[in-house]
Amino acid sequence: MGRDKKTAELIAWGVNFDRLVPASWQRSLADELRLPYVEGLRTFLAEQAAAGKAIYPPAGDAFTALACTPPSAVKVVVLGQDPYHGEGQAHGLSFSVPEGVKIPPSLVNIYKELERDLGVTRPSHGNLRAWAEQGVLLLNATLSVEAGCAGSHQKQGWEELTDAIIDLLNRQREGLVFILWGAYAQKKGALIDRQKHCVLSSAHPSPLSAHRGFLGSGHFSSANDYLKSQGQAEIDWCIPEAEFKLV
């Protein structure tokens, strides 16, 4: 990492941490962002950046999920665990990667299930921003990770913040769909009132577990059926093709 980029990341994670949170969510999370654990998280991230460690995604992308999907626009919540820890993969949306990056195995299985469930043709890229812009909150439990070190930023405060986001949506909204893939995501299901919302759970789409119930789950059609029953517009799960195809 170049010196100027390192300095910029240090300032973003440290001094400007609160400004990374989109304004629409800052209003709802104002009290939460003043709690001591958030200061501890900010300090941890600044120390990691000061030590020269590469953090993914870059600070400016850490809250992409919130930026794409304001609280009032959320219809569906898809919970992931950690950002991808390879260079160029993480861009702030769970399970998603930018165009031009090889589609990760879990997302390959998500596309397989989407094709089986709804007949949606698999795109040649892994950018799920089109879902986010329709109201699908693609939220990881932990919003940063050290390069090459899966799970390295767990238990530093991110989980409390994402719990607060889920709790906020649970309390202030009705008729949302929460999609919980894997045991880690399902633990957060304890925060959700199933009398007010639809909760869809299955195994994780990872190749290690997808065959244990994720493939064949029908969660995409089930989410749309529930939204329709609530008088809401369905999600168009088709991913627009990129302007180029991966080689």
Side-chain angles (χ1 to χ4, degrees):
M1 183 184 298
R3 183 172 180 177
D4 290 345
K5 186 175 181 180
K6 175 182 173 181
T7 301
E9 286 290 283
L10 174 58
I11 293 172
W13 285 123
V15 178
N16 294 332
F17 180 83
D18 289 353
R19 300 179 195 174
L20 298 175
V21 180
S24 60
W25 287 91
Q26 278 199 33
R27 291 190 290 272
S28 301
L29 295 169
D31 291 341
E32 191 74 21
L33 292 171
R34 288 193 287 267
L35 293 179
Y37 81 83
V38 177
E39 180 59 31
L41 173 62
R42 181 211 310 265
T43 300
F44 167 76
L45 292 166
E47 288 174 347
Q48 295 292 294
K53 295 182 179 180
I55 298 174
Y56 297 145
D61 290 338
F63 293 98
T64 298
L66 303 187
C68 288
T69 318
S72 61
V74 175
K75 295 180 179 179
V76 178
V77 181
V78 176
L79 289 174
Q81 185 168 345
D82 291 322
Y84 297 120
H85 55 82
E87 184 176 3
Q89 290 183 304
H91 66 147
L93 301 173
S94 62
F95 297 102
S96 179
V97 292
E99 287 94 338
V101 174
K102 183 179 178 180
I103 301 174
S106 291
L107 185 52
V108 169
N109 282 331
I110 289 171
Y111 284 167
K112 285 180 181 178
E113 174 57 17
L114 183 59
E115 186 172 34
R116 188 211 63 79
D117 187 15
L118 293 175
V120 171
T121 302
R122 303 180 210 178
S124 63
H125 66 90
N127 192 337
L128 303 180
R129 191 180 183 97
W131 292 357
E133 291 176 346
Q134 293 181 72
V136 182
L137 181 64
L138 296 167
L139 184 68
N140 280 315
T142 302
L143 301 187
S144 67
V145 68
E146 181 183 341
C149 298
S152 52
H153 288 189
Q154 292 178 7
K155 300 180 181 179
Q156 297 295 335
W158 281 127
E159 292 91 341
E160 288 90 335
L161 183 57
T162 53
D163 278 356
I165 291 169
I166 294 168
D167 180 60
L168 171 75
L169 293 170
N170 177 63
R171 288 184 291 101
Q172 295 189 357
R173 300 288 308 281
E174 292 187 6
L176 302 183
V177 180
F178 289 85
I179 297 179
L180 312 178
W181 291 329
Y184 194 92
Q186 288 163 22
K187 288 179 181 178
K188 286 187 178 285
L191 300 167
I192 303 164
D193 183 345
R194 294 167 193 244
Q195 300 300 312
K196 293 174 60 180
H197 306 286
C198 173
V199 178
L200 303 173
S201 301
S202 78
H204 194 276
S206 161
L208 298 175
S209 57
H211 63 284
R212 298 176 191 157
F214 171 76
L215 296 173
S217 63
H219 283 173
F220 301 103
S221 59
S222 295
N224 275 352
D225 288 345
Y226 179 78
L227 291 173
K228 189 175 180 180
S229 76
Q230 299 296 305
Q232 299 190 66
E234 300 171 83
I235 301 298
D236 180 359
W237 295 104
C238 296
I239 301 292
E241 194 53 76
E243 294 180 0
F244 60 91
K245 293 189 180 293
L246 301 182
V247 177

PDB file of all heavy atoms in Angstrom, residues 25 65-66 69 74-79 94 131-132 135-139 165 169:
ATOM      1  N   TRP A  25     -28.836   6.353   7.552  1.00  0.00           N
ATOM      2  CA  TRP A  25     -28.676   5.427   8.678  1.00  0.00           C
ATOM      3  C   TRP A  25     -28.131   6.124   9.912  1.00  0.00           C
ATOM      4  O   TRP A  25     -28.428   5.699  11.039  1.00  0.00           O
ATOM      5  CB  TRP A  25     -27.749   4.275   8.282  1.00  0.00           C
ATOM      6  CG  TRP A  25     -28.388   3.305   7.354  1.00  0.00           C
ATOM      7  CD1 TRP A  25     -28.374   3.325   5.979  1.00  0.00           C
ATOM      8  CD2 TRP A  25     -29.169   2.165   7.716  1.00  0.00           C
ATOM      9  NE1 TRP A  25     -29.081   2.260   5.474  1.00  0.00           N
ATOM     10  CE2 TRP A  25     -29.571   1.527   6.515  1.00  0.00           C
ATOM     11  CE3 TRP A  25     -29.542   1.609   8.937  1.00  0.00           C
ATOM     12  CZ2 TRP A  25     -30.354   0.367   6.504  1.00  0.00           C
ATOM     13  CZ3 TRP A  25     -30.314   0.453   8.930  1.00  0.00           C
ATOM     14  CH2 TRP A  25     -30.716  -0.153   7.731  1.00  0.00           C
ATOM     15  N   ALA A  65     -23.498  -1.378   1.621  1.00  0.00           N
ATOM     16  CA  ALA A  65     -24.832  -1.963   1.780  1.00  0.00           C
ATOM     17  C   ALA A  65     -25.817  -0.925   2.314  1.00  0.00           C
ATOM     18  O   ALA A  65     -26.959  -0.829   1.838  1.00  0.00           O
ATOM     19  CB  ALA A  65     -24.774  -3.168   2.706  1.00  0.00           C
ATOM     20  N   LEU A  66     -25.382  -0.147   3.297  1.00  0.00           N
ATOM     21  CA  LEU A  66     -26.260   0.875   3.875  1.00  0.00           C
ATOM     22  C   LEU A  66     -26.484   2.024   2.898  1.00  0.00           C
ATOM     23  O   LEU A  66     -27.584   2.585   2.830  1.00  0.00           O
ATOM     24  CB  LEU A  66     -25.671   1.410   5.179  1.00  0.00           C
ATOM     25  CG  LEU A  66     -25.382   0.386   6.283  1.00  0.00           C
ATOM     26  CD1 LEU A  66     -24.973   1.110   7.572  1.00  0.00           C
ATOM     27  CD2 LEU A  66     -26.568  -0.531   6.530  1.00  0.00           C
ATOM     28  N   THR A  69     -29.039   0.943   0.276  1.00  0.00           N
ATOM     29  CA  THR A  69     -30.361   0.557   0.769  1.00  0.00           C
ATOM     30  C   THR A  69     -30.679   1.293   2.064  1.00  0.00           C
ATOM     31  O   THR A  69     -30.391   0.800   3.156  1.00  0.00           O
ATOM     32  CB  THR A  69     -30.421  -0.971   1.002  1.00  0.00           C
ATOM     33  OG1 THR A  69     -29.767  -1.658  -0.067  1.00  0.00           O
ATOM     34  CG2 THR A  69     -31.862  -1.447   1.087  1.00  0.00           C
ATOM     35  N   VAL A  74     -35.634  -0.811   2.703  1.00  0.00           N
ATOM     36  CA  VAL A  74     -35.327  -2.232   2.895  1.00  0.00           C
ATOM     37  C   VAL A  74     -36.593  -3.082   2.744  1.00  0.00           C
ATOM     38  O   VAL A  74     -37.629  -2.798   3.339  1.00  0.00           O
ATOM     39  CB  VAL A  74     -34.697  -2.475   4.281  1.00  0.00           C
ATOM     40  CG1 VAL A  74     -34.488  -3.966   4.517  1.00  0.00           C
ATOM     41  CG2 VAL A  74     -33.370  -1.742   4.399  1.00  0.00           C
ATOM     42  N   LYS A  75     -36.482  -4.128   1.932  1.00  0.00           N
ATOM     43  CA  LYS A  75     -37.540  -5.133   1.794  1.00  0.00           C
ATOM     44  C   LYS A  75     -37.059  -6.514   2.230  1.00  0.00           C
ATOM     45  O   LYS A  75     -37.797  -7.294   2.798  1.00  0.00           O
ATOM     46  CB  LYS A  75     -38.002  -5.225   0.334  1.00  0.00           C
ATOM     47  CG  LYS A  75     -38.678  -3.995  -0.229  1.00  0.00           C
ATOM     48  CD  LYS A  75     -39.077  -4.264  -1.671  1.00  0.00           C
ATOM     49  CE  LYS A  75     -39.785  -3.084  -2.285  1.00  0.00           C
ATOM     50  NZ  LYS A  75     -40.154  -3.360  -3.711  1.00  0.00           N
ATOM     51  N   VAL A  76     -35.805  -6.796   1.877  1.00  0.00           N
ATOM     52  CA  VAL A  76     -35.210  -8.095   2.139  1.00  0.00           C
ATOM     53  C   VAL A  76     -33.843  -7.866   2.771  1.00  0.00           C
ATOM     54  O   VAL A  76     -33.129  -6.936   2.379  1.00  0.00           O
ATOM     55  CB  VAL A  76     -35.047  -8.912   0.832  1.00  0.00           C
ATOM     56  CG1 VAL A  76     -34.385 -10.265   1.108  1.00  0.00           C
ATOM     57  CG2 VAL A  76     -36.391  -9.101   0.135  1.00  0.00           C
ATOM     58  N   VAL A  77     -33.478  -8.683   3.745  1.00  0.00           N
ATOM     59  CA  VAL A  77     -32.146  -8.633   4.353  1.00  0.00           C
ATOM     60  C   VAL A  77     -31.469  -9.978   4.117  1.00  0.00           C
ATOM     61  O   VAL A  77     -32.008 -11.017   4.498  1.00  0.00           O
ATOM     62  CB  VAL A  77     -32.207  -8.332   5.862  1.00  0.00           C
ATOM     63  CG1 VAL A  77     -30.798  -8.262   6.447  1.00  0.00           C
ATOM     64  CG2 VAL A  77     -32.978  -7.045   6.130  1.00  0.00           C
ATOM     65  N   VAL A  78     -30.319  -9.955   3.459  1.00  0.00           N
ATOM     66  CA  VAL A  78     -29.517 -11.161   3.262  1.00  0.00           C
ATOM     67  C   VAL A  78     -28.270 -11.024   4.123  1.00  0.00           C
ATOM     68  O   VAL A  78     -27.448 -10.127   3.903  1.00  0.00           O
ATOM     69  CB  VAL A  78     -29.123 -11.356   1.790  1.00  0.00           C
ATOM     70  CG1 VAL A  78     -28.211 -12.573   1.629  1.00  0.00           C
ATOM     71  CG2 VAL A  78     -30.368 -11.519   0.922  1.00  0.00           C
ATOM     72  N   LEU A  79     -28.136 -11.891   5.109  1.00  0.00           N
ATOM     73  CA  LEU A  79     -27.035 -11.779   6.068  1.00  0.00           C
ATOM     74  C   LEU A  79     -25.863 -12.676   5.690  1.00  0.00           C
ATOM     75  O   LEU A  79     -26.023 -13.882   5.486  1.00  0.00           O
ATOM     76  CB  LEU A  79     -27.516 -12.159   7.465  1.00  0.00           C
ATOM     77  CG  LEU A  79     -28.454 -11.158   8.149  1.00  0.00           C
ATOM     78  CD1 LEU A  79     -28.959 -11.736   9.457  1.00  0.00           C
ATOM     79  CD2 LEU A  79     -27.752  -9.842   8.387  1.00  0.00           C
ATOM     80  N   SER A  94     -22.671  -8.115   0.944  1.00  0.00           N
ATOM     81  CA  SER A  94     -22.456  -9.522   1.265  1.00  0.00           C
ATOM     82  C   SER A  94     -22.631 -10.394   0.025  1.00  0.00           C
ATOM     83  O   SER A  94     -23.535 -10.179  -0.783  1.00  0.00           O
ATOM     84  CB  SER A  94     -23.417  -9.975   2.366  1.00  0.00           C
ATOM     85  OG  SER A  94     -24.768  -9.867   1.969  1.00  0.00           O
ATOM     86  N   TRP A 131     -29.534  -5.860  -6.857  1.00  0.00           N
ATOM     87  CA  TRP A 131     -30.432  -6.294  -5.776  1.00  0.00           C
ATOM     88  C   TRP A 131     -30.507  -5.226  -4.699  1.00  0.00           C
ATOM     89  O   TRP A 131     -31.582  -4.881  -4.223  1.00  0.00           O
ATOM     90  CB  TRP A 131     -29.931  -7.595  -5.163  1.00  0.00           C
ATOM     91  CG  TRP A 131     -30.015  -8.795  -6.036  1.00  0.00           C
ATOM     92  CD1 TRP A 131     -30.547  -8.867  -7.299  1.00  0.00           C
ATOM     93  CD2 TRP A 131     -29.559 -10.112  -5.714  1.00  0.00           C
ATOM     94  NE1 TRP A 131     -30.439 -10.150  -7.771  1.00  0.00           N
ATOM     95  CE2 TRP A 131     -29.841 -10.940  -6.830  1.00  0.00           C
ATOM     96  CE3 TRP A 131     -28.930 -10.675  -4.603  1.00  0.00           C
ATOM     97  CZ2 TRP A 131     -29.515 -12.299  -6.845  1.00  0.00           C
ATOM     98  CZ3 TRP A 131     -28.611 -12.020  -4.618  1.00  0.00           C
ATOM     99  CH2 TRP A 131     -28.906 -12.822  -5.731  1.00  0.00           C
ATOM    100  N   ALA A 132     -29.339  -4.713  -4.309  1.00  0.00           N
ATOM    101  CA  ALA A 132     -29.282  -3.723  -3.226  1.00  0.00           C
ATOM    102  C   ALA A 132     -30.118  -2.490  -3.551  1.00  0.00           C
ATOM    103  O   ALA A 132     -30.781  -1.924  -2.675  1.00  0.00           O
ATOM    104  CB  ALA A 132     -27.838  -3.335  -2.950  1.00  0.00           C
ATOM    105  N   GLY A 135     -33.815  -2.754  -2.723  1.00  0.00           N
ATOM    106  CA  GLY A 135     -34.245  -2.928  -1.343  1.00  0.00           C
ATOM    107  C   GLY A 135     -33.755  -4.186  -0.678  1.00  0.00           C
ATOM    108  O   GLY A 135     -34.249  -4.564   0.387  1.00  0.00           O
ATOM    109  N   VAL A 136     -32.757  -4.855  -1.280  1.00  0.00           N
ATOM    110  CA  VAL A 136     -32.160  -6.029  -0.658  1.00  0.00           C
ATOM    111  C   VAL A 136     -30.906  -5.590   0.097  1.00  0.00           C
ATOM    112  O   VAL A 136     -29.896  -5.237  -0.519  1.00  0.00           O
ATOM    113  CB  VAL A 136     -31.806  -7.108  -1.704  1.00  0.00           C
ATOM    114  CG1 VAL A 136     -31.218  -8.339  -1.017  1.00  0.00           C
ATOM    115  CG2 VAL A 136     -33.043  -7.498  -2.511  1.00  0.00           C
ATOM    116  N   LEU A 137     -30.983  -5.565   1.413  1.00  0.00           N
ATOM    117  CA  LEU A 137     -29.853  -5.156   2.240  1.00  0.00           C
ATOM    118  C   LEU A 137     -28.877  -6.324   2.346  1.00  0.00           C
ATOM    119  O   LEU A 137     -29.153  -7.326   3.022  1.00  0.00           O
ATOM    120  CB  LEU A 137     -30.318  -4.725   3.624  1.00  0.00           C
ATOM    121  CG  LEU A 137     -29.231  -4.239   4.587  1.00  0.00           C
ATOM    122  CD1 LEU A 137     -28.555  -2.969   4.064  1.00  0.00           C
ATOM    123  CD2 LEU A 137     -29.812  -4.011   5.986  1.00  0.00           C
ATOM    124  N   LEU A 138     -27.747  -6.203   1.662  1.00  0.00           N
ATOM    125  CA  LEU A 138     -26.738  -7.267   1.608  1.00  0.00           C
ATOM    126  C   LEU A 138     -25.715  -6.989   2.703  1.00  0.00           C
ATOM    127  O   LEU A 138     -24.659  -6.399   2.479  1.00  0.00           O
ATOM    128  CB  LEU A 138     -26.095  -7.298   0.220  1.00  0.00           C
ATOM    129  CG  LEU A 138     -27.066  -7.664  -0.915  1.00  0.00           C
ATOM    130  CD1 LEU A 138     -26.433  -7.363  -2.270  1.00  0.00           C
ATOM    131  CD2 LEU A 138     -27.485  -9.119  -0.832  1.00  0.00           C
ATOM    132  N   LEU A 139     -26.026  -7.434   3.904  1.00  0.00           N
ATOM    133  CA  LEU A 139     -25.296  -7.033   5.108  1.00  0.00           C
ATOM    134  C   LEU A 139     -24.450  -8.169   5.657  1.00  0.00           C
ATOM    135  O   LEU A 139     -24.960  -9.253   5.949  1.00  0.00           O
ATOM    136  CB  LEU A 139     -26.291  -6.591   6.176  1.00  0.00           C
ATOM    137  CG  LEU A 139     -25.723  -6.047   7.482  1.00  0.00           C
ATOM    138  CD1 LEU A 139     -25.036  -4.704   7.269  1.00  0.00           C
ATOM    139  CD2 LEU A 139     -26.839  -5.912   8.528  1.00  0.00           C
ATOM    140  N   ILE A 165     -28.417  -2.749  13.736  1.00  0.00           N
ATOM    141  CA  ILE A 165     -29.094  -2.501  12.460  1.00  0.00           C
ATOM    142  C   ILE A 165     -30.270  -3.458  12.286  1.00  0.00           C
ATOM    143  O   ILE A 165     -31.377  -3.046  11.904  1.00  0.00           O
ATOM    144  CB  ILE A 165     -28.090  -2.645  11.298  1.00  0.00           C
ATOM    145  CG1 ILE A 165     -27.081  -1.493  11.337  1.00  0.00           C
ATOM    146  CG2 ILE A 165     -28.810  -2.684   9.949  1.00  0.00           C
ATOM    147  CD1 ILE A 165     -25.899  -1.680  10.406  1.00  0.00           C
ATOM    148  N   LEU A 169     -34.364  -2.496  12.242  1.00  0.00           N
ATOM    149  CA  LEU A 169     -35.306  -2.891  11.197  1.00  0.00           C
ATOM    150  C   LEU A 169     -36.436  -3.744  11.770  1.00  0.00           C
ATOM    151  O   LEU A 169     -37.600  -3.596  11.377  1.00  0.00           O
ATOM    152  CB  LEU A 169     -34.574  -3.658  10.102  1.00  0.00           C
ATOM    153  CG  LEU A 169     -33.570  -2.847   9.271  1.00  0.00           C
ATOM    154  CD1 LEU A 169     -32.746  -3.761   8.384  1.00  0.00           C
ATOM    155  CD2 LEU A 169     -34.288  -1.790   8.433  1.00  0.00           C
TER     156      LEU A 169
END
